[in-house]
Amino acid sequence: MTTTPGRCAMPLETTEWETVKEWALVYLFKTLDPHTALERAGFATAFVTRLKLTARPADNAAELVGESLRSIPGQVALLEALLRTGLADHEDAHMAGDFLARLREDARTHGSEDPFGRYLLKNGTEAFLDRENLRTELRTFLTNPHTAVLVVDGEPDSGRSYTYTFIRHIGQHRGFRPVRVILDPASTAGRVLAQLAAFVEADTALSPAPPGATGLDDLLPTRYSAVLRVVREATDPEAPVWFVLDECDRLDPGSDVWELIGQLARAVSEYEPRPGEQPPRLVLLGYSEAARPLPHDLRNSIQRDRARVAGPAELRTLLAHCFREVPPPVRFRELAPQEREAALTELAEVALAEVLHAVGEPGDRAGPACGGARERDSYMRRLCSAVEGAVRVYRAL
């Protein structure tokens, strides 16, 4: 069972944000007065005041980066501020400038395009298959204050877990933070809840239990109290948390995680935040209709989507969209609009044939072009990888 935290950090990879954190440590927090140093670097006084700064420079750097990741403007402001420090004269300035350019481009995209309509994510390096239903359901889920739980079902290899990729993308542009726990037959309610608590820093959820109980794995009322504490800590005025429980169908039928899921669903559905706060949401991936039913009285708080294996028609649509999200090759730019459109359509058909050949049939564990190295990849993941390869070839034309 693993936990994957999501932050508003799509244009830069986790390792790149670690580099940014090191720059913040060196150029902003090697001082006895970090508040003044941050204001001199250009951070707003109100923002600096909100930071939980301590006498530990490394913790302060992590706090600054973590708070900046909450929004796209915050990410841009962080890199701009760093380039106003001694970093500007260091050899890393070129790398920082590249990071800033990527973040500014993301901010431009965010302001000018509908993120629900994107097919190439992560600065155009990751393809998301044409899940029109999911795009519609997520848009509704975000705007409907009466829904708190999203359930995604579907047959194996249909892309249920890959839904998390698009959720992270939407979170980047709509200001929420997803955290994913991947379930397995050994998962327990105590471990899952502890992971969620650690992500939202809900230390009280791990404090000694009331007399007569010994921890999170004890009496259900005790566990539900811990669930409520985690939900309370995940409530935020700017960037609420989405709890994503993935691969629910791998749980043992007798696992106590099923009971925890029902408690989480009830807690996020019934929690009343204070004015200005946004409560967390719960997303269940791979939660089949045959699984333990969620509490019946929450039925109006639950929204559902069903993933399906993509076929040639969906792939044709995906490739057409991907090729149009990328600037056309130089040799296409001088063509008349109708000729360019015909050329792009023909190119998409060629790419479609190559992709289908590479990935094989849905039941295969590896396509003909995969050798044996990626035999554990699902059909939908192979499709995405093949489409990304086709886009890279398209860019190189």
Side-chain angles (χ1 to χ4, degrees):
M1 181 176 62
T2 57
T3 305
T4 305
R7 289 280 187 174
C8 299
M10 208 58 72
L12 302 188
E13 299 293 337
T14 300
T15 54
E16 293 171 323
W17 281 116
E18 289 299 320
T19 299
V20 173
K21 190 185 300 181
E22 287 297 319
W23 291 337
L25 174 62
V26 172
Y27 296 104
L28 291 171
F29 292 109
K30 295 295 186 179
T31 174
L32 296 177
D33 189 0
H35 290 86
T36 299
L38 290 174
E39 291 182 1
R40 286 176 177 171
F43 290 100
T45 301
F47 174 79
V48 175
T49 302
R50 289 203 311 268
L51 296 176
K52 300 174 183 177
L53 302 182
T54 69
R56 297 170 61 91
D59 292 348
N60 292 341
E63 171 74 4
L64 173 64
V65 173
E67 288 300 308
S68 298
L69 289 180
R70 288 175 175 266
S71 70
I72 296 172
Q75 296 168 31
V76 173
L78 173 59
L79 268 296
E80 288 177 340
L82 284 170
L83 285 169
R84 287 192 286 265
T85 68
L87 176 62
D89 300 320
H90 192 270
E91 62 181 9
D92 283 348
H94 179 75
M95 184 189 300
D98 174 67
F99 288 1
L100 178 57
R102 288 156 61 186
L103 293 171
R104 283 175 171 167
E105 174 60 21
D106 188 61
R108 185 199 65 78
T109 300
H110 170 66
S112 62
E113 298 182 9
D114 177 11
F116 290 92
R118 294 288 296 178
Y119 290 79
L120 290 173
L121 316 180
K122 276 191 162 181
N123 257 14
T125 63
E126 185 171 26
F128 186 76
L129 287 172
D130 188 13
R131 295 272 300 280
E132 292 300 334
N133 285 345
L134 176 65
R135 297 171 194 271
T136 300
E137 296 294 347
L138 274 175
R139 192 190 296 271
T140 302
F141 188 61
L142 267 168
T143 57
N144 186 349
H146 302 296
T147 55
V149 182
L150 176 64
V151 177
V152 179
D153 187 18
E155 57 192 279
D157 286 356
S158 62
R160 297 170 303 183
S161 294
Y162 201 60
T163 301
Y164 181 68
T165 298
F166 198 69
I167 288 175
R168 286 195 66 196
H169 166 72
I170 296 300
Q172 159 76 359
H173 296 279
R174 288 293 182 264
F176 63 84
R177 297 177 293 144
V179 54
R180 176 172 63 165
V181 174
I182 301 176
L183 305 174
D184 59 48
S187 297
T188 67
R191 291 174 184 170
V192 173
L193 186 54
Q195 287 179 292
L196 297 178
F199 176 76
V200 298
E201 299 178 355
D203 295 332
T204 55
L206 301 178
S207 61
T214 57
L216 292 178
D217 278 319
D218 264 323
L219 303 176
L220 294 183
T222 301
R223 185 187 301 146
Y224 188 61
S225 297
V227 168
L228 290 175
R229 290 195 291 272
V230 171
V231 168
R232 183 167 56 247
E233 291 298 326
T235 301
D236 192 291
E238 297 178 355
V241 171
W242 282 27
F243 298 124
V244 181
L245 301 185
D246 195 359
E247 300 192 15
C248 295
D249 55 345
R250 296 189 63 203
L251 286 173
D252 185 275
S255 173
D256 60 355
V257 177
W258 294 112
E259 191 70 40
L260 173 66
I261 290 173
Q263 292 176 326
L264 279 168
R266 182 174 299 283
V268 298
S269 298
E270 298 181 350
Y271 183 72
E272 293 290 343
R274 289 173 292 188
E277 290 184 332
Q278 298 185 62
R281 301 288 188 94
L282 176 63
V283 179
L284 303 175
L285 304 182
Y287 201 96
S288 72
E289 294 181 356
R292 185 178 302 189
L294 294 169
H296 180 71
D297 56 322
L298 303 181
R299 60 191 180 282
N300 294 327
S301 298
I302 300 171
Q303 193 163 324
R304 297 182 181 275
D305 176 62
R306 184 169 180 81
R308 293 176 174 80
V309 175
E314 289 81 9
L315 283 175
R316 182 177 288 109
T317 300
L318 171 65
L319 286 164
H321 279 290
C322 288
F323 285 179
R324 284 158 180 79
E325 286 185 15
V326 176
V330 174
R331 66 181 184 178
F332 287 4
R333 295 175 192 172
E334 297 180 357
L335 297 176
Q338 290 183 336
E339 293 177 322
R340 183 166 60 245
E341 184 66 22
L344 288 174
T345 299
E346 181 180 357
L347 196 60
E349 287 298 317
V350 173
L352 173 63
E354 293 297 324
V355 167
L356 290 175
H357 171 72
V359 300
E361 296 298 323
D364 297 341
R365 295 313 298 173
C370 295
R374 296 174 54 235
E375 63 181 5
R376 295 183 180 179
D377 282 356
S378 71
Y379 178 72
M380 295 293 275
R381 291 188 184 279
R382 297 203 307 273
L383 280 180
C384 290
S385 297
V387 169
E388 289 157 10
V391 173
R392 287 194 293 269
V393 172
Y394 173 73
R395 282 194 170 106
L397 291 177

